[in-house]
Amino acid sequence: MITVNGNGRDHVPDETVSGLLKRLNYIFPLVIVKINGTVVPRDSFPSVNVPDGATVEVIHLTSGG
Amino acid sequence: MVDGQIPIEEYETGNTVHEIDVATLRGEHRVLATHSFEKGEIVRGYNRRTLHVDLSKGTIEERPVTDDMIAKFTGGRGFGLKILWDSISPGTRWDSEDNVLAITNGPMCGNTQYPGSGKSICLTVSPSTDIVCDSNVGGFFGPFLKFAGFDAMAIQGKANEDVVVVIDGIASEVRIETAPLEETNTHVLSEQLAHIYAAEDTEKSRQRVSSITSGLGAEHSYWGCLNSSFYDPRRKVARVKQAGRGGLGTVLRDKRVKGVVAVVPKFTGVENNPADPVTMAKVGTKLHKEIRDLDRHQCNMRAVGTGHLVEIMDAYDLLPCENYRFGSFPKASKLYSPKFYDLFTKVIPDGCWHGCTMACSKTVDGFELRTGPYAGHRVTVDGPEYETVGCGSNMGLWEPEWVLEFNFYCDTYGLDTISTGTAIAFYMEMYEYGILNRERCDDLELCFGNARAVMEFMHRMARGDDGEFMSVAPKGIRRVKDWIKAKGWGDERLVEDCGMESKGLEYSEYVTKESLAMQGGYGLTLKGPQHDEAWLIFMDMVNNAIPTFPDKAEALHYFPMWRTWFGLNGFCKLPWNDVEPANNADTDEPSKVPGHVQNYVDLVNAMTGSELEKDDLIIQSERCYNWQRAMNVWMGRGRRADDWIPYRSMGPVTEMEYVSREERYDTALVEKAGMSKDEVAGMTVPEKMEALYQFRQDQYQKLADAVYFRRGWTHNGVPTPQKMISLGFGDEADMLRMLQDRIDADTAAGLNDWGGNYDESEDPPSDDPLYWEKW
């Protein structure tokens, strides 16, 4: 299991940050991703894996309106 | 010339050409009043004078802007509030003789160094809400009003015939002229005015004319908008942006004003005479580079404008579909931004004020209209922006071409797309339930998806159709709810819950059912449910970053104050957070975009020569925000009861909505409302709906409690004299006395108590019944 924005989610082996965002349908481009409190650079989303037990924050910036 | 850019002389829109006989039009003008003024100098963003036109008396006056006025009200919207406070009474209504339409700019307005610095803010007593409504708009009018010599203008009284008010910054003269022959609809009228008042018969001269106009729709509805023009010499049309919300165009036409025109001589990029132009340019260059390098990877505003949000809102179940019943829809992809990108005129940079590299104003040129008085004409359609596309999904219009047709006629008829679209969507839902039908709708078949009926409704409205439905429907959802109830049609609670209005104003285009904070972002507002105070859906619903009531209340304090600040200064909100610096992720509060906040601190200090810090900007806003709320109280509104919102914005009104997201709502009953899974499993859908209804209504009241407490207001939502004194209004005796009287009356009526039902495990914001006195 992993935690995403406080909610429990299944862990998928070898899933990258990009893969996780796609699975959760998080298509908004202005997001900041932190894994266990560490920011993942945007250009690393396709290469960084999400480890089992991770606490993931997907911070959508405000935008809108 | 950028690679691939179309040269001005080679571009043809393919639009139908309007024949404009300037000599005949102008020959019928009579000058009713003239006022000559000394050409002044803008110093550090201010002219230090405002313009007051009284159409009933035929007078034109200048009034000084004092140091005290700047200290308390800053500029822009703040000046508008001050003008209204000095000019109207608590009983003033939208069509009262003494109602004022104020058009303001702000000290940063007209700057060309930083993107999004051309906004004006317009205010009046709204026909929809009976309180002051503010609405911001791009285009050239705000900057030109300042360059002509004024930090704000007020139009009071009513003319006996159609007039234009001309602020001639070349001749240093203000005139009221009759205008009997000009069109009323904007796309023709704004072009006529550009030709009539241009100093020379050249495209460059027409670019130095800007007008505020509305249209025939505004004359027959409460949805009138103001169109602020910016003449486009490449397309050879007067394009427009809208101050849409609250019926400001309705007030303009009630005053028999066809147009307000500002004419300026050649101007420079430092017309505001900033204290520190080098810093202005340096900060501007930083953002220009960010936009150039990052926008295409972020929001893509330069290519598709705010329309990029359509696919995002659909993906997050936030796109209003069929009157907000659903947040996504199988056909929604037909309205995604690539569909409009295919139709937009590309390559030409499209800012609504000089120097804005975000350039999000898009057009479809040569668009052939299918309906109405201009059927067969080819026109330029400005937009559509996200909100207008959201009206399409709300009404079930899934063809981009119908959204464009709706967009064009709203603009030229002077109608707010948001109120028009949201209201029609409600009428469509009532039609689906049989509460309205063809007979009750004056022979209109207003079912979801019937684009031709939508257009026919709008054309009839512009003609002033006097059928029973056509007489009440253009006054908006609140009046139609009352009409339906008076007729005894349908279930009253269903009608109230489905109609998306609060304070009498229609909602803008976001589904808020799963975001309590955004419910507050719509309901706990000054003018009504518009997203320009706070947009918290992602922060609340997706990020789960503000889980407690105090967290949500803090967001509903900070963001409205921050966004109010744009309106005090003449800024557009979009460059703040629709592009983010590359290092934003490394900051402590990325949702506030600290790098851009610092830009604004640097800019305002460079313009005015002040030494403000970021918290000072919030204080500037807090002064005006509280003043406006206090004015709502003064006018008999501005209390908890006025912050009511319809249940459709909180949860599922119908069984179909509940069943469409049954797992989500069942989970909410368990995880949020504290019911057991077995208990929920044993309930019928109507029973579950009622349990959720009661729970979410109480949550909203608790949110209001927390927000009022955070803002320093009473239990009933009234700003206190103590709060106003702390903000620097200690010498405003009339205001302070009025507030104390209202608070005493609320206490006598038992209204100064918390609205939420708190059990033993919960605490209200304070146990002290007079907490505000120690604030």
Side-chain angles (χ1 to χ4, degrees):
Chain A
M1 287 291 286
I2 58 174
T3 303
V4 182
N5 292 348
N7 299 311
R9 302 284 183 185
D10 290 335
H11 175 254
V12 175
D14 299 326
E15 186 175 48
T16 63
V17 171
S18 293
L20 176 67
L21 296 179
K22 189 173 180 186
R23 172 157 65 102
L24 298 179
N25 203 21
Y26 285 171
I27 67 164
F28 185 57
L30 294 183
V31 291
I32 293 166
V33 177
K34 293 182 181 178
I35 296 179
N36 298 327
T38 302
V39 173
V40 180
R42 192 168 284 153
D43 56 9
S44 300
F45 287 1
S47 57
V48 171
N49 285 354
V50 181
D52 195 11
T55 298
V56 183
E57 295 169 72
V58 184
I59 303 167
H60 291 61
L61 298 185
T62 315
S63 191
Chain B
M1 180 73 67
V2 176
D3 185 34
Q5 189 169 335
I6 304 170
I8 291 176
E9 58 273 16
E10 291 178 15
Y11 182 66
E12 292 287 342
T13 58
N15 287 353
T16 302
V17 175
H18 303 129
E19 296 297 333
I20 300 173
D21 183 348
V22 171
T24 300
L25 292 171
R26 197 155 198 173
E28 291 299 314
H29 285 204
R30 284 181 294 113
V31 176
L32 301 178
T34 305
H35 172 80
S36 296
F37 58 90
E38 290 280 328
K39 191 160 185 62
E41 184 186 11
I42 306 170
V43 178
R44 299 184 175 189
Y46 293 98
N47 283 286
R48 288 186 168 260
R49 66 181 166 190
T50 60
L51 176 67
H52 292 251
V53 177
D54 191 315
L55 297 167
S56 297
K57 297 174 184 166
T59 57
I60 304 168
E61 295 173 20
E62 298 167 47
R63 293 182 189 170
V65 169
T66 63
D67 289 342
D68 184 61
M69 188 167 163
I70 291 174
K72 288 177 178 167
F73 296 98
T74 306
R77 176 171 152 193
F79 283 5
L81 291 170
K82 171 66 173 160
I83 289 168
L84 278 153
W85 171 254
D86 289 342
S87 305
I88 64 173
S89 69
T92 299
R93 294 295 174 256
W94 70 276
D95 55 351
S96 300
E97 192 94 1
D98 66 343
N99 191 16
V100 165
L101 178 64
I103 306 170
T104 73
N105 35 62
M108 304 304 298
C109 180
N111 171 35
T112 60
Q113 310 298 309
Y114 196 81
S117 302
K119 286 275 189 171
S120 44
I121 298 84
C122 310
L123 307 90
T124 197
V125 177
S126 161
S128 299
T129 64
D130 292 338
I131 52 177
V132 173
C133 184
D134 58 277
S135 193
N136 73 72
V137 60
F140 289 179
F141 189 85
F144 285 5
L145 175 66
K146 182 190 274 190
F147 297 168
F150 301 98
D151 297 329
M153 71 176 295
I155 304 173
Q156 197 167 23
K158 298 185 187 187
N160 293 320
E161 55 194 311
D162 281 342
V163 298
V164 290
V165 178
V166 184
I167 304 143
D168 189 335
I170 299 173
S172 297
E173 188 176 84
V174 182
R175 298 185 299 277
I176 305 171
E177 299 177 9
T178 60
L181 297 185
E182 282 79 357
E183 278 269 354
T184 303
N185 291 332
T186 279
H187 82 290
V188 181
L189 173 59
S190 57
E191 206 168 317
Q192 289 173 333
L193 295 172
H195 280 78
I196 291 170
Y197 291 103
E200 298 171 6
D201 185 19
T202 64
E203 296 297 293
K204 277 286 175 199
S205 286
R206 284 188 272 280
Q207 210 181 1
R208 294 182 196 130
V209 177
S210 177
S211 57
I212 295 283
T213 58
S214 196
L216 287 170
E219 294 180 5
H220 305 292
S221 77
Y222 285 179
W223 303 327
C225 72
L226 301 179
N227 287 304
S228 167
S229 75
F230 57 114
Y231 192 85
D232 185 337
R234 295 158 300 195
R235 294 175 173 86
K236 300 178 181 59
V237 296
R239 297 173 56 191
V240 284
K241 300 294 277 185
Q242 290 74 37
R245 306 312 322 269
L248 285 76
T250 302
V251 173
L252 185 85
R253 289 303 297 138
D254 183 61
K255 293 182 177 303
R256 300 289 304 266
V257 177
K258 265 190 180 168
V260 188
V261 183
V263 189
V264 294
K266 188 176 180 181
F267 54 90
T268 70
V270 287
E271 208 68 20
N272 273 318
N273 200 1
D276 178 0
V278 175
T279 298
M280 298 283 298
K282 198 182 294 180
V283 177
T285 301
K286 189 165 64 171
L287 187 64
H288 291 315
K289 284 181 180 169
E290 275 177 24
I291 291 171
R292 183 196 64 194
D293 296 340
L294 302 173
D295 174 64
R296 76 190 69 175
H297 307 295
Q298 296 183 4
C299 292
N300 211 18
M301 297 285 281
R302 279 151 63 97
V304 295
T306 57
H308 79 93
L309 286 167
V310 177
E311 45 267 39
I312 293 165
M313 294 303 122
D314 187 43
Y316 288 79
D317 210 22
L318 300 170
L319 180 71
C321 301
E322 296 193 347
N323 196 33
Y324 303 85
R325 290 192 297 197
F326 312 109
S328 62
F329 211 79
K331 293 181 181 176
S333 63
K334 293 173 181 289
L335 299 181
Y336 284 3
S337 61
K339 303 293 184 187
F340 287 99
Y341 181 76
D342 288 344
L343 300 168
F344 288 152
T345 301
K346 297 172 199 60
V347 182
I348 294 176
D350 276 319
C352 72
W353 175 238
H354 299 289
C356 184
T357 39
M358 186 159 262
C360 64
S361 304
K362 303 301 154 197
T363 71
V364 178
D365 296 327
F367 178 74
E368 184 171 349
L369 296 164
R370 304 178 190 181
T371 69
Y374 307 110
H377 287 213
R378 291 181 180 276
V379 296
T380 288
V381 185
D382 262 289
E385 298 184 32
Y386 164 75
E387 300 292 335
T388 304
V389 184
C391 291
S393 58
N394 231 346
M395 294 184 286
L397 308 185
W398 303 110
E399 274 187 51
E401 289 76 8
W402 281 120
V403 174
L404 291 170
E405 182 108 358
F406 171 76
N407 191 156
F408 172 80
Y409 272 111
C410 278
D411 290 354
T412 201
Y413 284 156
L415 294 167
D416 172 27
T417 58
I418 294 175
S419 278
T420 306
T422 296
I424 293 173
F426 169 61
Y427 307 156
M428 286 173 157
E429 187 177 3
M430 294 298 98
Y431 197 101
E432 183 173 301
Y433 300 155
I435 293 170
L436 295 177
N437 54 38
R438 192 160 187 157
E439 184 186 349
R440 292 171 181 176
C441 290
D442 295 342
D443 206 32
L444 286 168
E445 194 177 11
L446 271 179
C447 51
F448 285 116
N450 191 344
R452 290 199 177 272
V454 170
M455 298 314 303
E456 179 60 19
F457 173 79
M458 291 173 62
H459 300 318
R460 283 202 209 172
M461 182 164 44
R463 293 197 300 265
D465 186 310
D466 62 358
E468 188 176 3
F469 176 73
M470 288 305 305
S471 296
V472 67
K475 294 189 170 84
I477 292 174
R478 182 65 260 161
R479 276 74 181 179
V480 169
K481 282 180 177 177
D482 293 341
W483 178 64
I484 288 173
K485 287 196 287 187
K487 291 284 189 182
W489 297 334
D491 176 76
E492 287 197 8
R493 182 166 137 181
L494 177 72
V495 173
E496 282 293 346
D497 288 348
C498 290
M500 290 293 278
E501 57 80 27
S502 175
K503 300 181 175 66
L505 185 69
E506 285 76 17
Y507 269 64
S508 66
E509 309 306 318
Y510 296 99
V511 171
T512 61
K513 291 172 191 168
E514 302 313 309
S515 172
L516 177 59
M518 191 60 213
Q519 291 162 29
Y522 272 136
L524 305 173
T525 49
L526 297 173
K527 66 171 173 270
Q530 169 71 354
H531 53 276
D532 62 353
E533 284 200 13
W535 198 91
L536 303 173
I537 301 180
F538 281 164
M539 186 183 272
D540 188 33
M541 181 183 104
V542 186
N543 300 348
N544 199 17
I546 43 176
T548 68
F549 286 113
D551 291 338
K552 294 181 203 301
E554 184 59 34
L556 284 166
H557 170 72
Y558 176 81
F559 286 100
M561 297 311 147
W562 174 240
R563 294 180 67 152
T564 292
W565 190 81
F566 295 130
L568 304 182
N569 285 278
F571 277 124
C572 172
K573 164 264 172 195
L574 296 175
W576 161 50
N577 69 349
D578 281 79
V579 63
E580 59 158 340
N583 66 350
N584 194 45
D586 300 325
T587 60
D588 54 348
E589 293 182 289
S591 289
K592 294 181 179 176
V593 199
H596 288 177
V597 171
Q598 189 58 47
N599 284 356
Y600 291 110
V601 173
D602 294 342
L603 285 167
V604 75
N605 286 334
M607 177 64 78
T608 62
S610 308
E611 294 182 352
L612 300 173
E613 297 182 3
K614 64 180 181 181
D615 291 344
D616 297 322
L617 311 191
I618 299 298
I619 295 291
Q620 287 182 329
S621 290
E622 217 176 341
R623 288 191 191 107
C624 294
Y625 194 92
N626 279 275
W627 189 272
Q628 189 166 342
R629 179 74 173 193
M631 284 187 69
N632 288 355
V633 174
W634 181 56
M635 301 187 79
R637 308 290 297 272
R639 317 292 177 84
R640 182 183 291 267
D642 301 302
D643 291 340
W644 169 93
I645 56 173
Y647 185 64
R648 173 62 57 72
S649 60
M650 299 183 195
V653 173
T654 62
E655 287 194 41
M656 178 170 62
E657 284 167 88
Y658 193 100
V659 170
S660 75
R661 299 284 184 269
E662 190 161 20
E663 185 183 347
R664 174 191 297 168
Y665 296 129
D666 284 358
T667 301
L669 287 172
V670 174
E671 293 184 356
K672 304 282 187 184
M675 301 176 78
S676 72
K677 284 185 180 175
D678 289 345
E679 197 177 358
V680 172
M683 295 166 77
T684 64
V685 170
E687 287 169 343
K688 290 191 287 189
M689 288 172 61
E690 185 60 23
L692 194 64
Y693 181 96
Q694 297 300 337
F695 173 72
R696 290 193 168 178
Q697 293 280 8
D698 187 50
Q699 290 283 293
Y700 182 74
Q701 292 305 325
K702 287 173 177 165
L703 177 71
D705 290 345
V707 171
Y708 295 159
F709 181 77
R710 174 62 186 85
R711 292 179 180 171
W713 297 351
T714 67
H715 302 86
N716 204 26
V718 176
T720 65
Q722 292 84 353
K723 178 76 183 178
M724 300 300 278
I725 290 167
S726 76
L727 291 170
F729 292 120
D731 56 350
E732 300 285 350
D734 291 347
M735 175 66 86
L736 300 178
R737 193 178 314 111
M738 180 277 296
L739 289 171
Q740 190 60 56
D741 289 348
R742 302 300 161 93
I743 291 169
D744 292 344
D746 282 354
T747 301
L751 296 173
N752 275 327
D753 200 359
W754 298 118
N757 296 311
Y758 296 90
D759 63 29
E760 290 176 356
S761 66
E762 299 172 300
D763 291 320
S766 173
D767 292 328
D768 182 351
L770 294 174
Y771 64 89
W772 64 80
E773 291 188 347
K774 300 165 191 158
W775 207 255

